[in-house]
Each structure stands twice: as C-alpha cells, then as structure tokens.
Amino acid sequence: MMKELNQLPIPLLLWYRENARVLPWRSDPTPYRVWISEIMLQQTRVAAVLDYYRRFLEAVPTVADLAALPEDALMKLWQGLGYYSRARNLQKAARQIMENFGGVFPNTYDGIRSLAGVGDYTAGAVASIAFGLPVPAVDGNVLRVVTRVTGDAGDITAPAVKRRITEALRQIIPTEAPGQFNQAMMELGATVCLPNGAPLCGRCPAAEFCRARLEDRIGQLPVKAPKKARRIERRSVYLIVSEQGVALRRRPDKGLLAGLWEYPNELAEEGAIPALLGLEQEELVPAGQGRHIFTHIEWRMQAWTARIPAEALPESWVWADRQALARDYAVPNAFQAFRDFVDRQLGYF
Ligand code: SF4
C-alpha cells in the first residue's frame, strides 16, 4: 500500500495547484469558515451549498453570533439543506467554544474533535486547512482514491479499514502543506476519480502508478458492504387551512427533523381512513402525494386537506399565513411536494 501512496503527494499537489476549484471558503480559510463549509458539505454537493454558505456567513459571521442566534432563525437559514441536526450541532459547538474555549476556536485536533457534530473527518479537515496540522481527513472521496491507487480491496464501510487508511495517510501527509494535501485528495475524488466506475484517469496525477488502473480493477474498487434496506413509512399529512393560514405544529425536540415545523401528520395504515380533529371523513379531501427519502427511512405520504374555523386549532399548533411561512417557520424539504398546494390555498386570502 505504501509504495503507491509514497508517490502520491508531489504530483497530487502540483495537480491541485492547477486544478483547484475556486470556492468561497478556500479564499480565506479561517477556522470558522472552514468549519461551517465542512459541516454544510456533509452529505450535500458543493453546488447546493454555495448560496447557503454565503447567506449563512453574512447573517452569522462569528462563533459568538452563532452561539446567540435564536433557534428559529438558525433553522430558517438551514431550511432546504436537510440533515437539520447538523445546524443544531453547529450551534451547540459554538456555545461550547464560548464556554469551554473562551470564545476562541480550539487549535488542536482533540479540541476541535470535542465539538458537537465534529467527527474524525471534519476535525482533520479543520485542523489541517485552518491550522496547518498534519492530520488526514478521510471522507468517502478520499477512501475511493486511496483504495483505487493502492488496489486495497478492504470494505470501506468497516471502521478497521478506515483506520488503516487513515494511518497510512498520516505517514505520507506533507507537513508543510497538510491542508492543501487533504483538499487535493477530496478534490481528486470529487472531480476526477469519480464513483460508479467512470473516473477520468486521463486527467489524474496518480494514473502512472494507480493499481486499480494498471490492473484493470477500477470497477471493483472501492469495496463496500451493501447497505441495509430503508424502512418504508406511510404517513397521512394534513394540510388544514382557515382564514388565518395553514396549520403547523412543531416536531419533538429529539429524533428525525427535531424541533422543525411541519404540517400535522401521522403514521397511516395503507388504505386506512384518516381521522383528525374529529373531522368527518367527507370533510377531508385528498390533496396529493409525496415521497421523501431520509438516510434510514422513506416516507410515502398521502395529503388530506380540510378547512376549519380558526378557533378550532389545537393549542400547541399555529396558523401560518404566506408571509409567516416564508419568514418565520422552517418547514423541511420532506414536505416539498405539498408546497404548491399550500401556496395556492394561502393565495385565496
Ligand atoms: S488513475 Fe483513475 S482510478 Fe486511479 S486514482 Fe486516478 S482517476 Fe482514480
């Protein structure tokens, strides 16, 4: 493994110098900026992150601002990016920095790793890019590049394999440019050594010594154990309207989409008749279907709508008109399928 890896840093860094994409967090890599970008980029493509990143940095330019931000404002900034626990952890971490580190971003790997929502990869990325510490940052892109370059057929979902690869990278990471090296690895994985068997080897700085290419094994690497099937959940979603808007309720503080606002909904048996607020079945009108895929669950939703008097709203729910929906309430993308319907209903007022 080491033979190929030892050859990697110099051609990789030269390639990166010529080919690095210009990205806003790269121009001024302060710890705060690198951290926010890395958290946003988890499970999310660069193109989808750019606007969110700019808006977030404008609205919340410092750790102290983030620590003090009201929760609804935070969720509103995050609305549409998904995986909302990331936003919650960002704020938790900002408060940790204020309380445990005197408001100064921690400058050691262990300090960074101790922050909420920060795993090995993110700690490595921030430590190397913002502080120049020689620690690897190993994400899916990096695992793909390393297993292909070295011909390693270990299962990359196994923690032991990830540890082995991390250790191997620790041996070769150039101490004078660890941040550049880590970013170059990720960039190579994201733009050249593409997944699903179609890498652009002709443009790759590792092509000459890459085992997968030389041995014609690209399609077989990396090796990944198959994922567990997602659980399918059928849900009834209620788009209840009155002259004051559409009914929203807040989700519980823990679990999936914790603390976000949603259209009331519940688990439904297939073909079962929904019942809500004592409404008769004929008062609930079908209002479309939607589907949303989370990491471990898939929601298959049937929406129902009804018009009720404003005062009939249960106590902990709220009415949101068009303006409030746009400004104050973060309704997750899972309910995207019903947005047009709700918008049309609210347009009638
Ligand atoms: S030569 Fe091809 S398979 Fe090997 S690292 Fe480069 S892009 Fe990936």
Side-chain angles (χ1 to χ4, degrees):
M1 178 186 234
M2 293 314 293
K3 196 168 98 242
E4 294 83 18
L5 280 189
N6 279 328
Q7 297 180 69
L8 188 57
I10 292 173
L12 179 72
L13 287 171
L14 290 173
W15 170 84
Y16 185 63
R17 202 184 289 166
E18 298 295 317
N19 294 284
R21 287 170 293 180
V22 177
L23 298 172
W25 46 88
R26 284 186 176 158
S27 58
D28 178 18
T30 64
Y32 181 69
R33 289 166 58 94
V34 173
W35 171 53
I36 300 290
S37 70
E38 288 297 343
I39 299 291
M40 285 189 171
L41 286 165
Q42 288 168 9
Q43 331 255 10
T44 312
R45 285 169 311 109
V46 167
V49 162
L50 288 171
D51 279 349
Y52 282 95
Y53 177 78
R54 284 199 193 94
R55 264 194 292 141
F56 196 93
L57 265 274
E58 242 171 62
V60 195
T62 67
V63 171
D65 295 326
L66 177 53
L69 192 68
E71 184 182 341
D72 280 339
L74 175 67
M75 288 301 136
K76 200 68 204 161
L77 281 169
W78 207 267
Q79 182 180 11
L81 257 185
Y83 301 97
Y84 289 83
S85 58
R86 293 184 296 175
R88 255 171 246 294
N89 278 331
L90 269 184
Q91 184 161 59
K92 222 189 262 173
R95 291 177 180 161
Q96 281 175 281
I97 296 173
M98 299 311 290
E99 282 161 28
N100 306 345
F101 297 94
V104 180
F105 209 100
N107 63 359
T108 62
Y109 177 87
D110 289 340
I112 301 166
R113 180 71 175 79
S114 74
L115 300 174
V118 172
D120 294 339
Y121 162 77
T122 305
V126 176
S128 64
I129 299 169
F131 295 106
L133 298 172
V135 278
V138 181
D139 69 351
N141 282 323
V142 174
L143 287 170
R144 185 167 61 255
V145 171
V146 171
T147 52
R148 285 181 174 167
V149 169
T150 62
D152 186 333
D155 168 11
I156 58 166
T157 64
V161 171
K162 198 168 163 191
R163 266 200 305 277
R164 169 155 58 76
I165 289 176
T166 306
E167 277 321 302
L169 287 170
R170 204 186 296 281
Q171 310 286 316
I172 61 142
I173 191 164
T175 48
E176 65 287 0
Q180 296 289 95
F181 177 82
N182 283 339
Q183 290 181 89
M185 288 293 280
M186 298 170 207
E187 190 86 347
L188 190 68
T191 63
V192 173
C193 195
L194 304 171
N196 306 325
L200 312 173
C201 301
R203 300 195 206 154
C204 178
E208 269 178 44
F209 50 87
C210 170
R211 288 275 288 270
R213 192 184 75 84
L214 298 175
E215 296 169 6
D216 205 9
R217 291 200 289 140
I218 293 169
Q220 295 144 39
L221 295 170
V223 173
K224 270 191 215 176
K227 276 193 195 147
K228 273 198 229 137
R230 278 195 191 90
R231 180 158 56 88
I232 292 178
E233 248 179 45
R234 290 176 200 285
R235 302 193 79 81
S236 298
V237 177
Y238 302 104
L239 309 173
I240 306 294
V241 288
S242 76
E243 71 281 3
Q244 291 188 21
V246 64
L248 296 179
R249 71 172 180 199
R250 208 195 255 283
R251 289 183 62 83
D253 282 343
K254 289 220 160 56
L256 192 67
L257 305 175
L260 295 173
W261 293 91
E262 66 177 0
Y263 308 117
N265 62 86
E266 63 187 354
L267 273 178
E269 292 301 321
E270 199 173 3
I273 299 160
L276 186 83
L277 306 178
L279 290 167
E280 297 294 328
Q281 198 211 334
E282 50 273 23
E283 292 175 273
L284 284 166
V285 180
Q289 294 176 332
R291 198 165 85 108
H292 190 77
I293 294 176
F294 299 94
T295 313
H296 304 296
I297 304 180
E298 176 178 335
W299 277 2
R300 296 204 182 149
M301 296 169 281
Q302 168 67 51
W304 302 89
T305 187
R307 189 165 275 270
I308 66 171
E311 60 279 7
L313 194 73
E315 209 172 286
S316 58
W317 299 9
V318 296
W319 290 118
D321 61 16
R322 237 183 194 168
Q323 200 189 12
L325 203 56
R327 191 192 51 205
D328 303 329
Y329 297 106
V331 175
N333 270 358
F335 299 100
Q336 176 85 11
F338 311 120
R339 209 159 101 177
D340 286 349
F341 180 87
V342 169
D343 201 49
R344 278 200 304 278
Q345 300 298 311
L346 298 183
Y348 292 138
F349 304 139

